[in-house]
Amino acid sequence: MSFGRRSASAKRGLLAGVALVVLVGGAHSALAQETARVAAPSPDGLAEGQLYMEADLVIRDDKNKVTTAKGDVEVRYQGRTLRANELVYDETKGTMRAQGDTSIINADGSVEYADEIVLDDQMKAGVATGFSARLPQNIKMAAASAVHRNDKINELNRAIYTPCPICAPDGTTPKAPTWSIKADRVVQDKDRQLIYYRNAVVQIMGVPLVYLPVFWHPDPQAKRKSGLLPPEISVSERRGLSYEQPYLFVLSPHSDLTLSPQINTKVNPLLNGQFRKRFYSGAVDARFGYTYDKDIAAAPGQTINDTTSRSYVLASGAFAINQDWRWGFTAERTSDDLLFDKYDIGGVYENRGPYVADDRRLISQLYAIRQDQKSYFSVAAFTIQGLRPEDNDRTFPIAAPLIEARWEADPKIMGGRLRVRGSAIALTRDQSPVGAPPLHLDGLDSRRATGELDWRTTYTSAAGIRVSPYIQARLDAYSVDDNFAGMVGTASRSDSMTRAMAVAGADVSYPFFRRFKDFTAILEPLVQIAASPDVKQIELGRNAIGDLVYLNEDSIAFEFDDTNLFRANKFPGYDLYEDGLRANVGARASILWDDGRRASLLVGRSLRTQTNDVFAEQSGLRPKASDWIVAATAEPVRGLSFFTRARLDADNLEVARAEMGANIYNKWGNGYVRYLRDRANPNNNKVENLDLGGQINVTKNWGVTAYGNRDMVENAWVIRDLGVFYRDDCTRIDFIYRKEDTLRGRLGPSASFTVRLTLATLGEPIYAN
């Protein structure tokens, strides 16, 4: 028998092969060969198979092949570190017994604690009493005893699991976790990436809530694993009590399927699903839903249709062909215009591709795009489904093909930037919106091809005057079929026509700067001069009251505001074109504070030598002097911002259209408000709407949320939400009350109450502001 005591300096310097080398698991001769082998060092500086150990006292019993280390024992081997007050290694049995403040630190940063641990000589299998562990994602587990069978299987008896804090903020006082799972037996299977429970009890705030004889969930240390996701529970006047339980199926490392059956007490179940798959060049994301049931009545007293299949699909895909080319698609369709509202399906009207439909309309598209630094080319086709009460899908065109191209010359031409553009589109309709049913007139079909040159340069004088001259030239070719010229009872006709257009002008600005003590003031007069020959608009004929009807497929949703005040052609599309001699004038004033605060104001209008009846009467651009455009933004303090844009009548300065809003964000919460007023939208309907929402953090963990949308023309709330939430590092619970009112052919009034529970590591992560 031999023993020794090491000093502190010697303790820090002891290396593998110098002391307790037998812990590697072989005879002295085998270990000598192991230490002599050249191997790449591990993160802890040890080569493969090497061991590092230090202790205050080491005792070696050569006869019985037992080695004992006492006092601040530390053993490092293959990425693991064992610490204890005492360690006994029995070479004959191949076991190590560690006692007193025992801990094992693994390579992934997780730590396991125990009163006593018995391990094999590879530190892979063993038994522990008084066991606890801190795993990645701040997960805590504790058990009366634990069996570490191998690197893949851990078994715990009389255990508890929680990702929540178990200490008060001061770090000393224990506290009950927000939620936890207690069980007689817990098995962590790292191969299957699952954690199994026997006789599990889910506790919220220390109160038993649910008993489950058998329960399992994905291992939080696994990146992706099949399993249950948090459910959603709601009570609705339309659907009754609803319970939606998502289940994630991981099909491969690159694909998964989520099925979310929605069980309702008043109507049949609805199955929601989402399939996602990544390819080497892109990805596919497809949502879908199906039910077989009668229609949910839109309003009291309405007839309910026969039982039939009802479904929807919201899918998209995007792929890279090479560095410059990409292609993709979207598929958006539903069997019922109000299906998403009736079953409370969210995330419907999102941008899934380069072409975007209007609000409450779905678009299905197929496209290919090539783009580099100097050129752009795209070809696409799309169809639209309308979900508004007044929509008739047969009047919506099929766009196929839609071709757009752009090329920029390099180097500069005549000192300026030259762009060449090309565009072509074919639109086919099944039915005309003119002469509504029962006439069922054929829809107008049109085809257009366009070529365009755009040259611009900029000069800045020594005095600071900036002048940007420009020239644009364009050639269009049109063909139209099934043209009824807006007249009921007239025969359809077909026409082909071409037109040439050009505009020349200059943008002129002269900014004035003035520096004050802690801010800079800028005043910038703005003038744009534009001159175009009279343009041949594409005239289809005259309507029933004798007004000219122009072809206008792409500029219907047109609004005169600060975004297009200084555009030479204010129409966003190709079919209509602004001509004549005109000047767009205005001034912008800005104040920029050194601490980041800012404010700006823009005032301007458009002037022309003659009236232009091509613009709609409600646009404010028909007369020689247009309506006034006013736009302002302000950030008076950090976290608070305002904006407003308005169009004022040229004659009496009455508000023709106004949009304003505010945003606020600070440690107590966040919120926004939006107000829109338009005395005549493109359909000649008055619009006045208020939209607001926000969240207030009442305490560190508790808060309230609110949302409302009010139609002020109808003097009714479209929707109102009021919610209360609790959140901490590992839990979020939302209680939401929603009230919906009858409005313009939508669903009848309804109220609902929803509970959403999100538990960290058992579904979506918790994001706390």
Side-chain angles (χ1 to χ4, degrees):
M1 178 179 291
S2 61
F3 65 91
R5 184 180 300 273
R6 295 186 293 112
S7 65
S9 59
K11 175 178 175 180
R12 290 191 295 268
L14 188 60
L15 298 176
V18 178
L20 276 189
V21 292
V22 293
L23 288 180
V24 177
H28 291 280
S29 59
L31 187 52
Q33 296 173 6
E34 186 68 37
T35 56
R37 180 185 302 167
V38 178
S42 63
D44 58 11
L46 301 177
E48 182 181 357
Q50 287 187 320
L51 175 144
Y52 174 88
M53 183 228 166
E54 62 184 27
D56 289 338
L57 179 66
V58 178
I59 303 172
R60 170 68 179 173
D61 185 345
D62 293 324
K63 180 179 179 181
N64 296 314
K65 296 184 177 181
V66 174
T67 303
T68 303
K70 296 184 178 181
D72 293 335
V73 181
E74 180 174 312
V75 180
R76 295 206 301 266
Y77 179 65
Q78 292 186 350
R80 292 182 179 85
T81 300
L82 169 66
R83 293 173 180 167
N85 290 337
E86 179 179 312
L87 184 145
V88 178
Y89 173 64
D90 190 325
E91 184 179 345
T92 303
K93 298 179 180 178
T95 61
M96 289 187 292
R97 181 184 298 272
Q99 295 175 311
D101 295 330
T102 303
S103 64
I104 296 178
I105 305 173
N106 298 301
D108 61 2
S110 60
V111 184
E112 298 164 357
Y113 306 91
D115 296 335
E116 181 181 65
I117 300 177
V118 179
L119 296 169
D120 65 6
D121 53 11
Q122 299 294 315
M123 295 173 64
K124 291 183 178 180
V127 178
T129 57
F131 175 84
S132 61
R134 183 181 294 273
L135 306 176
Q137 300 185 45
N138 203 29
I139 295 167
K140 279 79 68 178
M141 301 180 73
S145 62
V147 180
H148 188 67
R149 297 196 180 278
N150 50 51
D151 285 341
K152 306 298 182 183
I153 299 294
N154 289 324
E155 297 180 8
L156 285 74
N157 298 302
R158 294 169 56 198
I160 185 172
Y161 166 101
T162 183
C164 304
I166 55 176
C167 294
D170 59 13
T172 59
T173 308
K175 58 170 287 191
T178 306
W179 73 270
S180 62
I181 303 176
K182 282 188 175 182
D184 291 343
R185 185 165 177 256
V186 180
V187 177
Q188 181 187 31
D189 189 334
K190 293 186 178 181
D191 265 344
R192 298 182 179 179
Q193 298 182 330
L194 291 173
I195 293 182
Y196 300 90
Y197 297 83
R198 180 67 60 85
N199 294 327
V201 177
V202 180
Q203 299 184 128
I204 303 293
M205 302 293 186
V207 178
L209 187 66
V210 180
Y211 167 75
L212 300 167
V214 178
F215 175 66
W216 70 91
H217 63 76
D219 190 333
Q221 295 174 268
K223 293 183 179 179
R224 297 172 68 248
K225 186 62 182 176
S226 300
L228 295 170
L229 300 178
E232 181 173 313
I233 303 172
S234 63
V235 179
S236 167
E237 291 182 355
R238 298 191 187 112
R239 304 187 313 275
L241 176 64
S242 294
Y243 178 87
E244 185 167 344
Q245 177 59 70
Y247 190 93
L248 173 67
F249 296 90
V250 176
L251 306 178
S252 74
H254 311 291
S255 63
D256 59 47
L257 172 66
T258 302
L259 295 180
S260 306
Q262 183 191 95
I263 311 301
N264 309 291
T265 57
K266 287 188 176 181
V267 296
N268 287 346
L270 171 73
L271 177 63
N272 293 295
Q274 182 175 17
F275 173 76
R276 301 181 300 178
K277 183 174 178 62
R278 286 193 173 274
F279 301 88
Y280 74 94
S281 61
V284 170
D285 188 331
R287 294 175 56 193
F288 55 89
Y290 175 82
T291 186
Y292 186 78
D293 200 1
K294 295 181 179 180
D295 193 9
I296 299 177
Q302 289 187 346
T303 303
I304 299 179
N305 300 330
D306 294 335
T307 302
T308 186
S309 294
R310 306 179 188 280
S311 60
Y312 72 88
V313 61
L314 302 169
S316 64
F319 304 89
I321 300 174
N322 54 35
Q323 183 177 354
D324 298 327
W325 279 94
R326 59 190 175 94
W327 75 277
F329 70 91
T330 68
E332 302 179 352
R333 281 296 183 269
T334 178
S335 61
D336 297 47
D337 290 351
L338 295 172
L339 183 70
F340 302 118
D341 304 273
K342 295 169 183 175
Y343 290 93
D344 194 21
I345 299 167
V348 175
Y349 308 105
E350 297 179 351
N351 298 343
R352 297 179 174 85
Y355 301 96
V356 181
D358 293 337
D359 182 47
R360 295 193 67 83
R361 284 171 179 166
L362 305 178
I363 182 169
S364 298
Q365 58 191 291
L366 179 65
Y367 61 89
I369 297 174
R370 184 194 184 278
Q371 185 172 11
D372 57 29
Q373 291 184 347
K374 293 295 182 179
S375 65
Y376 173 89
F377 174 82
S378 70
V379 57
F382 62 79
T383 63
I384 294 174
Q385 180 184 10
L387 306 184
R388 301 176 185 176
E390 67 273 13
D391 286 341
N392 179 0
D393 293 344
R394 298 184 65 188
T395 66
F396 290 136
I398 298 174
L402 168 60
I403 301 173
E404 296 176 292
R406 182 184 69 248
W407 174 76
E408 185 170 322
D410 189 18
K412 293 182 177 181
I413 305 296
M414 295 185 296
R417 181 263 299 152
L418 175 66
R419 284 180 180 168
V420 180
R421 293 189 179 93
S423 174
I425 189 172
L427 301 176
T428 305
R429 281 185 176 83
D430 184 40
Q431 182 177 310
S432 173
V434 179
L439 294 179
H440 298 297
L441 301 177
D442 290 337
L444 175 70
D445 302 333
S446 65
R447 291 160 293 279
R448 174 186 55 80
T450 297
E452 183 177 7
L453 295 176
D454 181 359
W455 177 87
R456 176 183 289 269
T457 191
T458 300
Y459 304 101
T460 304
S461 71
I465 300 176
R466 184 178 182 183
V467 180
S468 298
Y470 62 86
I471 300 174
Q472 298 172 4
R474 205 176 94 190
L475 180 65
D476 292 341
Y478 278 88
S479 174
V480 296
D481 294 319
D482 296 328
N483 176 20
F484 286 90
M487 293 292 293
V488 178
T490 61
S492 67
R493 57 189 177 88
S494 299
D495 296 286
S496 295
M497 59 205 80
T498 60
R499 64 178 179 178
M501 294 153 291
V503 60
D507 295 335
V508 183
S509 64
Y510 190 10
F512 296 91
F513 294 83
R514 176 72 182 271
R515 177 64 188 174
F516 293 88
K517 180 179 180 181
D518 58 351
F519 67 88
T520 300
I522 305 171
L523 178 63
E524 185 179 12
L526 304 166
V527 177
Q528 181 185 67
I529 304 297
S532 302
D534 290 343
V535 171
K536 178 184 178 182
Q537 308 292 344
I538 308 301
E539 298 177 3
L540 300 178
R542 294 184 179 273
N543 60 19
I545 61 174
D547 293 335
L548 278 172
V549 178
Y550 299 109
L551 178 67
N552 182 16
E553 301 280 14
D554 51 18
S555 298
I556 297 176
F558 165 65
E559 199 63 58
F560 178 40
D561 57 25
D562 58 302
T563 63
N564 52 30
L565 171 62
F566 292 98
R567 287 189 56 180
N569 175 30
K570 294 180 175 56
F571 290 108
Y574 288 88
D575 294 337
L576 299 180
Y577 195 85
E578 184 178 6
D579 58 7
L581 179 62
R582 64 260 188 207
N584 302 312
V585 299
R588 180 186 292 113
S590 303
I591 299 178
L592 308 177
W593 281 271
D594 297 340
D595 58 4
R597 295 176 296 153
R598 60 187 60 228
S600 68
L601 172 67
L602 171 68
V603 179
R605 70 190 310 193
S606 182
L607 307 172
R608 66 183 69 253
T609 58
Q610 58 186 1
T611 60
N612 191 334
D613 294 339
V614 176
F615 290 103
E617 186 174 354
Q618 67 268 26
S619 68
L621 278 165
R622 273 196 172 188
K624 294 181 180 180
S626 75
D627 287 350
W628 286 93
I629 297 298
V630 179
T633 62
E635 297 180 31
V637 296
R638 186 180 300 274
L640 177 63
S641 63
F642 300 92
F643 77 89
T644 182
R645 56 174 59 94
R647 179 164 56 87
L648 308 180
D649 191 281
D651 297 325
N652 53 28
L653 296 183
E654 288 185 358
V655 177
R657 188 179 189 276
E659 182 182 359
M660 60 188 67
N663 300 282
I664 185 170
Y665 179 88
N666 54 44
K667 65 180 181 180
W668 296 287
N670 58 80
Y672 71 91
V673 59
R674 302 284 187 271
Y675 172 79
L676 173 64
R677 178 185 176 185
D678 194 342
R679 66 184 180 187
N681 66 6
N683 296 322
N684 286 317
N685 296 320
K686 182 180 178 181
V687 176
E688 190 171 5
N689 181 267
L690 179 67
D691 190 78
L692 69 164
Q695 171 179 304
I696 299 176
N697 303 319
V698 180
T699 68
K700 179 181 178 181
N701 301 114
W702 288 93
V704 295
T705 60
Y707 171 76
N709 185 288
R710 183 173 179 82
D711 189 316
M712 304 180 75
V713 176
E714 298 287 338
N715 196 28
W717 286 96
V718 181
I719 191 171
R720 286 164 286 174
D721 283 356
L722 182 63
V724 177
F725 68 87
Y726 171 89
R727 65 177 179 182
D728 57 25
D729 293 339
C730 63
T731 308
R732 175 158 182 144
I733 307 175
D734 289 270
F735 307 91
I736 301 171
Y737 172 78
R738 167 170 291 186
K739 176 67 175 177
E740 300 177 59
D741 295 331
T742 303
L743 193 62
R744 288 185 183 173
R746 299 178 186 173
L747 289 168
S750 175
S752 63
F753 181 77
T754 302
V755 178
R756 297 192 183 104
L757 173 63
T758 306
L759 304 179
T761 76
L762 295 185
E764 298 178 358
I766 302 295
Y767 298 105
N769 294 329

